[in-house]
Amino acid sequence: MMKQGASPEAVLTAMKELDTLTSTYDLDDTNSITLEDVELRQYGMADFSSTAVYSGRSLASLFNLFGFGDSEVADVGKSNFTDRYTYHALGNVVKSGTVSSLQSGFEEQTDDFNFGLCDMAGKLMTAMYRVPAGGFGDVRCLRQDGRSATGAYLHIDNEDGTELIHINEIDTDTKEPVEVLKEAFVEWRKNNPCEDKSSGTAPTAGISPLIKAVSMLGIASLILSSLT
């Protein structure tokens, strides 16, 4: 649809219309609740001029029933950030402050972690790293073993559709997955250095998820597009 010129909002509307199933969740041995699947989704999209997001109305109440009332369902976005990026940061069943941490990390102007802010890859890595550095992440993972998630993922395509970078770290045992991803990113950066740590030419890219927990309902993502 986007290739045919549809806006992110129109694409999300079409996705929701296709999502017509329901699911039943056991609350205890005798009680259950049935909810529309579409009300448990969180979608985000961005093109070169706008963003759109949808957060299901039942997300917060369901996680509250399961004992995760301390989590947030949030989204923040910005069009034409620095005239080069359009993005949307979103998350659910994450510790309060996780989504704003993603946003502030992406908009960071000082390269505190030495990832290089000259391109989208460095900005995504910085945004991702801000989450565990601040003690944020998926509340289920934080409660279980103190990690921000069960996996971390960074992917960017070039303008022609070829892969610029793809790092997917899951099953990292007890290690913080963002730390494992950082190690791979640092190796990638050695072959893709920033000539200038604060500015440069960013590759044009399509939709790029940033962080994902393995569970479909526990997710924090940063989705964006870039203009050269």
Side-chain angles (χ1 to χ4, degrees):
M1 289 180 67
M2 293 185 75
K3 287 184 177 180
Q4 298 171 349
S7 68
E9 190 65 47
V11 174
L12 291 194
T13 297
M15 291 171 64
K16 288 185 290 181
E17 290 175 349
L18 291 172
D19 204 349
T20 59
L21 300 179
T22 61
S23 295
T24 299
Y25 300 87
D26 293 328
L27 302 178
D28 52 41
D29 292 338
T30 58
N31 297 298
S32 63
I33 184 172
T34 299
L35 299 169
E36 296 179 51
D37 287 352
V38 69
E39 298 302 340
L40 299 174
R41 310 294 193 209
Q42 189 174 49
Y43 302 127
M45 298 193 72
D47 63 15
F48 298 125
S49 59
S50 65
T51 71
V53 69
Y54 167 75
S55 297
R57 294 175 295 181
S58 299
L59 276 169
S61 57
L62 180 64
F63 285 122
N64 185 57
L65 287 172
F66 284 133
F68 297 106
D70 55 340
S71 65
E72 70 175 358
V73 178
D75 62 83
V76 290
K78 187 174 294 185
S79 297
N80 298 324
F81 172 58
T82 70
D83 295 325
R84 289 172 59 182
Y85 299 102
T86 298
Y87 76 86
H88 217 110
L90 57 151
N92 64 82
V93 73
V94 292
K95 182 179 178 180
S96 181
T98 297
V99 175
S100 61
S101 182
L102 276 175
Q103 180 186 30
S104 62
F106 184 73
E107 295 189 2
E108 184 66 65
Q109 298 298 309
T110 57
D111 193 9
D112 294 340
F113 304 125
N114 296 314
F115 296 140
L117 301 180
C118 62
D119 55 15
M120 183 189 291
K123 288 182 173 295
L124 284 173
M125 189 66 238
T126 300
M128 176 180 292
Y129 204 72
R130 280 290 178 201
V131 173
F136 300 111
D138 189 314
V139 295
R140 298 166 298 181
C141 300
L142 290 170
R143 286 188 189 181
Q144 181 174 338
D145 54 24
R147 296 188 297 166
S148 67
T150 55
Y153 171 78
L154 193 159
H155 179 88
I156 300 174
D157 287 333
N158 291 305
E159 184 178 10
D160 61 3
T162 58
E163 181 182 292
L164 174 68
I165 180 174
H166 177 86
I167 307 174
N168 185 20
E169 299 293 347
I170 58 175
D171 298 327
T172 58
D173 297 320
T174 59
K175 296 180 180 178
E176 166 58 51
V178 179
E179 284 287 347
V180 179
L181 189 143
K182 181 196 78 171
E183 295 172 4
F185 179 85
V186 169
E187 290 301 311
W188 176 86
R189 179 59 90 194
K190 290 178 180 178
N191 297 316
N192 300 270
C194 283
E195 294 183 4
D196 184 320
K197 288 291 184 180
S198 61
S199 63
T201 301
T204 302
I207 298 170
S208 303
L210 175 56
I211 282 182
K212 288 187 177 180
V214 170
S215 172
M216 192 172 221
L217 287 178
I219 179 172
S221 300
L222 197 154
I223 298 169
L224 60 114
S225 294
S226 168
L227 294 172
T228 52

